Amino acid sequence: MTEVPAHDEAHDGGLGSRLNWLRAAVLGANDGVVSTAGLVVGVAGASDSRSALLTAGLAGLLAGSMSMAAGEYVSVSTQRDSERAALAEERRELREQPEAELAELTELLARRGLSPDVAGEAAAQLTERDALRAHARVELGIDPDDLTNPWHAAGASFLAFTVGALLPLLAIVLPPAAYRLWITVLSVLAALALTGWWSARLGAAPAARAVLRNVGGGALAMAVTYAAGSLLGAAGI
């Protein structure tokens, strides 16, 4: 007998939620690295004061993490409200016109490749078992038991941004003054390569392109802010 290979792909209902907070975590970490690196490198271009660098880095970390969390909460809350509204409308339609909804579900299943007879039988069975769940998944693409959670997304963004921001902050304040800039730049570029690779894996996209895009954007941001800081420092501002 031929042994069937193991198939460990996840099929539980929590996939959407996991992808939601993983996406928020990757974006938060990346933003934390880039924005804080740009800030402290810009200040380093104008001043070599450790206290100034620490103050700027901490301010950027706190402001950025709170901003990311608030923005993610508002965005995902809007999405959740839209999902709930769509479910409420579907619930009303099922209550007021069940026959039309059954015909609609049959048509949707037929569009997915089922024969008319099989689509009708499947629609009838799904409706009998749980009409709202059937329409939510087939018609709306929503899992009623797995709505997006704004608190998960906000918490993931806050923590990820903080972790990402700590890297350039520590890299700029801990080493000796003669080495802190290059240590910061190299560590930031390495971190951006990692987050680029991770984001590509989550999206099943080519890793090389994501890494180059991430590293190039971060390098450009640091170059621009350092040049601006150096000009301001030379001008005595």
Side-chain angles (χ1 to χ4, degrees), residues 127-184:
T127 298
E128 182 179 355
R129 181 176 301 174
D130 192 329
L132 179 62
R133 184 187 304 277
H135 280 268
R137 289 182 171 177
V138 177
E139 181 180 348
L140 305 175
I142 298 174
D143 185 347
D145 297 327
D146 189 31
L147 298 183
T148 52
N149 191 315
W151 289 108
H152 289 173
S157 292
F158 179 87
L159 291 175
F161 188 99
T162 300
V163 171
L166 281 174
L167 174 68
L169 175 59
L170 295 177
I172 203 74
V173 299
L174 293 181
Y179 305 107
R180 62 171 56 133
L181 181 61
W182 288 110
I183 290 176
T184 300

Side-chain angles (χ1 to χ4, degrees), residues 32-125:
V33 171
V34 173
S35 61
T36 306
L39 180 61
V40 296
V41 167
V43 174
S47 170
D48 60 357
S49 168
R50 192 186 301 270
S51 61
L53 293 170
L54 179 61
T55 300
L58 282 176
L61 184 154
L62 293 174
S65 60
M66 294 300 295
S67 176
M68 281 290 297
E72 195 69 23
Y73 179 83
V74 170
S75 174
V76 176
S77 292
T78 301
Q79 179 183 347
R80 187 182 180 93
D81 291 342
S82 298
E83 292 173 342
R84 286 176 170 172
L87 290 173
E89 177 65 17
E90 197 63 39
R91 192 178 290 110
R92 182 191 64 79
E93 292 176 351
L94 286 168
R95 183 176 61 253
E96 296 179 357
Q97 42 189 347
E99 293 182 358
E101 288 299 296
L102 178 60
E104 181 183 35
L105 182 59
T106 300
E107 181 182 354
L108 290 171
L109 291 173
R111 290 179 184 176
R112 296 191 175 191
L114 299 180
S115 67
D117 291 340
V118 174
E121 179 64 24
Q125 291 187 17

